[in-house]
């Protein structure tokens, strides 16, 4: 069973929408703040977006996506495009945004995509934390190097990402509808993990060096299931 794609994943995500809603809303609010310079009333004059690892956009915001003149989604899951159109197609059409869905490994073909879309913004939708699962466990240095290289590949481009930093079980059951932990800027990582009620050991997704130095990084808690939580990190990078 692949928990990042396929019918099983989409069924799980559909069933979990209420549990995931607080995180989805927090991500939407954060994204709207990052692109506040855009003018939603003039979509035709806005940049396009390459959304990589889109799946069905289960935690993406139609309101935010609708600020772009066009959105191209990329995912290796053959069901992703159909599901993404089901979830976001009507809303994007109403906002005047063109939508094109592609079944493709955009991570593998990223340089070619960037060349084909020289002015597009790029957003990695919870995909960079999955790169470690594409390699043997002892190849962690290869994974880190691959993720660090993104900064150079995307230099001069407006881009962003939300992805897993760490994940693991919790000491106690997380009640549905409970308030999400919010990280204070002064907390070190161990203090934050304590607030997440993390039961050691947690899985390191090897994404600690994805963003350029000095970029403001936002932390989110994601109540994935009653006894499992993810620590998500996000940032928006401008040239």
């Amino acid at each position: 069973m692949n928990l990042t794609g396929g019918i099983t994943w989409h069924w799980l995500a559909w069933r979990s929408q209420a549990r995931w809603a607080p995180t989805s809303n927090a991500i939407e609010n954060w994204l709207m703040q990052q692109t506040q310079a855009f003018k939603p009333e003039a979509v035709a004059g806005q940049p396009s977006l390459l959304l990589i690892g889109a799946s069905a956009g289960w935690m993406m915001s139609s309101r935010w996506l609708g600020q772009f003149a066009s959105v191209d989604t990329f995912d290796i899951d053959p069901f992703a495009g159909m599901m993404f159109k089901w979830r976001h197609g009507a809303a994007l059409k109403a906002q005047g945004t063109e939508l094109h869905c592609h079944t493709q490994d955009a991570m593998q073909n990223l340089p070619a995509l960037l060349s084909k879309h020289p002015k597009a913004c790029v957003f990695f939708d919870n995909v960079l934390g999955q790169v470690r699962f594409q390699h043997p466990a002892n190849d962690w240095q290869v994974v880190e190097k691959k993720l660090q290289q993104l900064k150079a590949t995307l230099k001069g481009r407006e881009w962003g990402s939300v992805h897993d930093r760490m994940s693991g079980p919790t000491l106690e059951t997380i009640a549905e509808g409970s308030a999400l932990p919010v990280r204070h800027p002064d907390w070190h990582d161990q203090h934050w993990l304590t607030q997440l009620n993390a039961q050691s050991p947690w899985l390191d997704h090897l994404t600690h060096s994805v963003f350029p130095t000095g970029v403001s990084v936002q932390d989110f808690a994601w109540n994935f299931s009653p006894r499992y939580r993810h620590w998500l990190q996000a940032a928006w990078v401008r040239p």
Side-chain angles (χ1 to χ4, degrees), residues 221-232:
W222 177 18
N223 298 338
F224 184 80
S225 67
R227 288 297 298 270
Y228 203 92
R229 187 172 257 159
H230 290 240
W231 164 13
L232 300 179

Side-chain angles (χ1 to χ4, degrees), residues 1-190:
M1 181 177 68
N2 184 352
L3 289 182
T4 62
I7 289 297
T8 301
W9 165 252
H10 294 299
W11 175 80
L12 173 64
W14 175 80
R15 190 184 65 171
S16 303
Q17 288 179 92
R19 182 177 297 279
W20 297 357
T23 304
S24 299
N25 293 337
I27 291 172
E28 177 183 34
N29 292 335
W30 173 80
L31 282 170
M32 294 301 293
Q33 292 172 12
Q34 308 317 303
T35 54
Q36 58 187 342
F38 289 179
K39 300 177 180 60
E41 70 277 5
V43 170
Q46 300 309 316
S48 57
L49 175 70
L50 308 181
L51 186 61
I52 298 175
S55 184
W58 287 107
M59 298 177 75
M60 278 282 98
S61 159
S62 294
R63 185 165 67 107
W64 178 71
L65 293 169
Q67 294 187 96
F68 295 91
S70 64
V71 174
D72 283 79
T73 73
F74 301 87
D75 201 289
I76 59 174
D77 176 5
F79 298 101
M82 175 184 66
M83 297 295 292
F84 195 95
K85 290 176 181 177
W86 170 66
R87 283 186 47 74
H88 297 284
L92 294 184
K93 184 177 181 179
Q95 295 176 84
T97 298
E98 293 184 15
L99 175 62
H100 309 280
C101 299
H102 311 271
T103 302
Q104 181 179 333
D105 187 348
M107 291 293 293
Q108 188 70 27
N109 302 311
L110 186 58
L113 283 177
L114 295 178
S115 179
K116 185 177 179 181
H117 304 272
K119 296 183 179 180
C121 300
V122 180
F123 194 78
F124 299 91
D125 181 15
N126 207 12
V127 65
L128 299 184
Q130 312 307 315
V131 172
R132 67 160 298 157
F133 301 116
Q134 300 168 6
H135 298 266
N138 59 354
D139 277 357
W140 59 269
Q141 290 178 311
V142 173
V143 174
E144 288 186 333
K145 184 177 180 180
K146 186 174 183 178
L147 292 172
Q148 290 171 4
Q149 181 62 30
L150 283 174
K151 289 176 287 194
T153 303
L154 293 160
K155 188 174 182 180
R157 178 82 55 149
E158 187 162 355
W159 67 279
S161 175
V162 58
H163 52 250
D164 291 314
R165 175 64 188 89
M166 300 185 77
S167 62
T170 55
L171 292 168
E172 298 176 351
T173 300
I174 306 165
E176 188 166 339
S178 61
L180 289 175
V182 177
R183 184 170 185 170
H184 189 278
D186 295 334
W187 288 351
H188 53 72
D189 288 351
Q190 192 55 51

